[in-house]
Amino acid sequence: MSVPVTTLVLGGARSGKSAFAECLVANSGLKRVYLATGAAGDEEMRARIDRHRARRGENWRTIEEPLAIIDALAREAAPHRAILIDCLTLWLSNLMHANRDSEREIQRLAAALRAATSPIVLVSNEVGLGIVPETPLGRRFRDAQGRLNQAIAATAGNVALIVAGLPLWLKRPP
């Protein structure tokens, strides 16, 4: 399968969305760029990052950028590269913790994706299928995540929902 210009890969925790997205980029035949939005703030997160790196192998160029992914896209986009952004959920969390205007950043990202010259695959969590969060911050985050996923899905050429490691294509070009 070739990588379309932009693909959004959604799923729940441990659904297989990252591995699926990595396969899309690896199968593109292009140079692989991994734009990581997570930061190793504790030992458990450090172990997760190490597992992801080991699974990808050495054929990937990794850029760690928790906030400025739009700037990183502008620097890295090129027709001979495929870019994987993993993950938008951590990016949104980082934006909110930094008191950034997440709505503005979401619109900026959507515009950057429309202008991109590289195939781009984005990974994001589908968090709206669970219980209503108990705290105002949790509800605000869940709502912002839903708006982020909608904005990127509207921009993306393809959208896949990963459930139990299996893709369900929600949007494909004709």
Side-chain angles (χ1 to χ4, degrees), residues 32-122:
R32 306 168 195 172
V33 177
Y34 187 95
L35 183 51
T37 62
D42 58 38
E43 205 47 48
E44 187 268 339
M45 189 63 171
R46 192 175 334 280
R48 282 178 185 244
I49 290 169
D50 289 345
R51 282 193 303 274
H52 274 243
R53 282 185 184 145
R55 182 178 67 220
R56 286 192 311 271
E58 296 181 16
N59 292 324
W60 291 78
R61 182 162 161 246
T62 300
I63 299 164
E64 295 180 357
E65 183 49 68
L67 288 169
I69 64 172
I70 299 160
D71 295 337
L73 276 176
R75 283 191 314 269
E76 297 300 321
H80 66 281
R81 293 183 183 142
I83 299 172
L84 171 57
I85 300 175
D86 195 358
C87 90
L88 292 180
T89 307
L90 289 173
W91 176 66
L92 177 63
S93 177
N94 296 339
L95 289 173
M96 291 177 79
H97 279 104
N99 292 315
R100 298 265 186 98
D101 182 346
S102 59
E103 292 299 322
R104 180 177 169 276
E105 293 300 310
I106 290 167
Q107 294 312 310
R108 286 185 63 228
L109 176 58
L113 294 173
R114 285 190 293 274
T117 59
S118 289
I120 300 170
V121 178
L122 304 103

Side-chain angles (χ1 to χ4, degrees), residues 116-138:
T117 59
S118 289
I120 300 170
V121 178
L122 304 103
V123 174
S124 191
N125 288 330
E126 176 49 68
V127 300
L129 298 174
I131 61 172
V132 175
E134 192 173 295
T135 66
L137 176 60

Side-chain angles (χ1 to χ4, degrees), residues 140-158:
R140 202 174 85 220
F141 176 78
R142 183 216 36 205
D143 293 349
Q145 183 67 51
R147 287 189 298 273
L148 169 60
N149 289 347
Q150 287 183 56
I152 302 310
T155 302
N158 281 346

